[in-house]
Amino acid sequence: MQEAQRDNEQRWEQVRACYPAQEPLLNLNNAAVSPPPRAVEQAAIEALRLVSRNPDVNMWTRLDANLPSIKDALAALVDCDPAEIALNRNSTEGLSTVIFGVPLQAGDEVVVSEWDYPSALGGWRQRAAREGIRVVTARFDPLADDDAIVSAYSNALTPRTRVMQLTHMLHWTGRVLPAERLCGLARESGVVSLVDGAQTFAQMPVSFRTLGCDFFVTSLHKWLGAPVGNGMLIARRDRIASTWPLMAPFEDAPDRIDKFDHWNLGTYNSALQAGIAPAIEMHREIGVHAMHARLRELTRYWVGLASGIRGFRLHTPVDDERLAAVSLFSIAGVDMRHVERELREGHQVHVKYRRIGPIEGLRVSPHVYTRKSELQRFVEALDRVLG
């Protein structure tokens, strides 16, 4: 057993060597943005230098020629058709494309939750103010079981419901929602389903087909490890024609995914997309199941170390097999903003303060390059801060 554990840690040491050193802070906020592996960083730098030599030709002709193969590789990872994938800058852009693009009229209802990403909720509120749609909130405790969560969304549906937005993994706490069941509920009710997969894609196995949603959005700079500024929108084929693009396309393409692609921005940074292919290659080498298992292992490891701290409370269901890298904890009677600041300034440990409604705490999100010894260092620093 000890030999197997030693071999396992050696494997992850090899993975760690593929990433740039995280300094001066111990980076435990990978849920915000993950560092790209060295090969990804190098590919983007080389592409940027290529662009500089002949921008117009090298961007639009040479680099963009690789995009179809990149879409093919992404489609294989997420189990969809390449013709359903649009490349953009991040999850927010993908969410906004759907939020402002799905046809709605005054009196139509959209179901969201208070746990959805703030900019997405802001987008729906803007449509409500401008067009008279109604935003309905499905309310549930993120520690509730799946049945309670499905019931919350089901109870929010009415004959006027047209869209259901749901977050696959809550970025606040790391709770994974029963997305497949919720998308099935939407489909049975004739409701368009929009899944925010910013935290699940590449962190754990995700199948667009199995989810059964109409739209899926994600950021490629989180768990896939592509350069910052890369995102993906997947639109089911029969939803493409009826959905308006966020920006009018240069060429009329009402029935093709092209109308949602990044090039409708005008001039954009093609060099950043050169890092997607090597990010996919490394992700394949690790394996998504192995990555998910390792991230779950790391979370349970630090939680086990910290659970003996007086007042420690975890706001994430750690026994759930869908658990991965993201979790939130608090300490009873303690100002968690102060703890965040002391960890960073006094111990060079970077975690993220999060607060929504009655829940506040520190979000911890290691990555596959994180050592268990570093998580032990974090818990020891936490214990010293709490005195």
Side-chain angles (χ1 to χ4, degrees):
M1 179 66 73
Q2 289 182 345
E3 184 176 347
Q5 290 175 346
R6 192 161 49 245
D7 290 344
N8 185 52
E9 293 306 314
Q10 287 176 351
R11 181 202 177 189
W12 293 112
E13 277 296 317
Q14 293 171 350
V15 170
R16 179 188 176 91
C18 298
Y19 284 85
Q22 298 298 285
E23 51 190 10
L25 303 176
L26 170 56
N27 182 13
L28 295 178
N29 189 32
N30 292 279
V33 57
S34 299
R38 295 182 190 276
V40 173
E41 179 185 64
Q42 186 62 32
I45 291 172
E46 290 175 359
L48 186 61
R49 287 173 175 156
L50 174 68
V51 167
S52 296
R53 289 198 288 272
N54 274 135
D56 188 41
V57 173
N58 288 338
M59 280 196 296
W60 314 138
T61 303
R62 295 186 63 181
L63 291 179
D64 279 6
N66 297 320
L67 295 181
S69 64
I70 288 173
K71 286 189 176 185
D72 287 344
L74 287 169
L77 284 184
V78 75
D79 186 26
C80 72
D81 191 316
E84 296 173 309
I85 291 180
L87 297 175
N88 53 30
R89 291 173 291 185
N90 54 42
S91 297
T92 297
E93 187 170 329
L95 286 166
S96 296
T97 298
V98 181
I99 290 168
F100 294 109
V102 171
L104 296 172
Q105 57 187 358
D108 287 346
E109 295 179 355
V110 175
V111 174
V112 300
S113 87
E114 61 187 311
W115 309 103
D116 292 333
Y117 202 66
S119 62
L121 295 177
W124 289 120
R125 286 195 297 269
Q126 183 169 306
R127 282 205 77 170
R130 293 176 65 176
E131 302 171 44
I133 69 167
R134 183 167 178 259
V135 181
V136 178
T137 302
R139 301 194 180 278
F140 58 89
D141 184 333
L143 287 174
D145 63 24
D146 286 357
D147 289 343
I149 293 173
V150 172
S151 293
Y153 280 91
S154 179
N155 293 336
L157 296 176
T158 75
R160 297 306 303 265
T161 306
R162 300 292 178 265
V163 180
M164 177 193 292
Q165 175 182 299
L166 60 103
T167 304
H168 201 179
M169 176 191 282
L170 307 183
H171 84 282
W172 307 99
T173 69
R175 169 62 193 267
V176 178
L177 301 192
E180 185 177 344
R181 290 178 61 184
L182 291 170
C183 290
L185 175 65
R187 189 167 53 252
E188 292 166 4
S189 305
V191 171
V192 174
S193 55
L194 166 59
V195 174
D196 177 354
Q199 295 294 345
T200 51
F201 174 70
Q203 186 177 181
M204 60 184 60
V206 173
S207 166
F208 179 71
R209 295 286 171 248
T210 301
L211 284 176
C213 56
D214 294 294
F215 298 96
F216 181 91
V217 305
T218 194
S219 294
L220 304 181
H221 61 254
K222 292 185 184 290
W223 302 102
L224 185 66
V228 176
N230 284 296
M232 174 174 66
L233 162 66
I234 307 174
R236 207 176 73 192
R237 278 182 176 273
D238 61 0
R239 291 295 182 187
I240 293 173
S242 63
T243 306
W244 294 92
L246 191 60
M247 288 160 287
F250 283 95
E251 298 179 3
D252 189 26
D255 299 322
R256 299 198 312 271
I257 198 70
D258 307 52
K259 67 180 183 178
F260 305 126
D261 265 314
H262 60 281
W263 47 60
N264 297 315
L265 285 166
T267 305
Y268 56 91
N269 193 343
S270 293
L272 293 179
Q273 293 177 313
I276 300 176
I280 293 172
E281 182 179 354
M282 180 166 176
H283 190 267
R284 281 175 170 166
E285 290 177 0
I286 295 173
V288 68
H289 292 280
M291 185 168 179
H292 184 204
R294 177 60 172 181
L295 295 174
R296 182 171 58 236
E297 178 186 9
L298 292 176
T299 296
R300 288 175 175 169
Y301 178 76
W302 82 258
V303 168
L305 294 177
S307 59
I309 294 175
R310 177 176 293 192
F312 179 85
R313 181 186 178 191
L314 193 67
H315 301 278
T316 306
V318 73
D319 294 330
D320 191 326
E321 286 304 296
R322 294 169 296 187
L323 175 75
V326 184
S327 55
L328 185 83
F329 78 96
S330 60
I331 306 294
V334 174
D335 181 352
M336 299 308 291
R337 282 188 181 274
H338 170 76
V339 176
E340 178 197 40
R341 184 171 59 252
E342 287 299 309
L343 284 171
R344 183 174 59 249
E345 296 177 0
H347 301 274
Q348 295 190 310
V349 174
H350 180 51
V351 291
K352 187 68 174 179
Y353 175 81
R354 300 275 77 185
R355 179 174 183 175
I356 177 171
I359 295 178
E360 69 168 340
L362 298 184
R363 187 180 67 189
V364 182
S365 50
H367 208 315
V368 290
Y369 63 79
T370 308
R371 292 187 177 114
K372 288 184 176 179
S373 59
E374 291 172 322
L375 292 171
Q376 183 176 354
R377 173 188 151 198
F378 152 59
V379 175
E380 289 172 352
L382 175 63
D383 200 28
R384 287 196 293 273
V385 168
L386 295 172

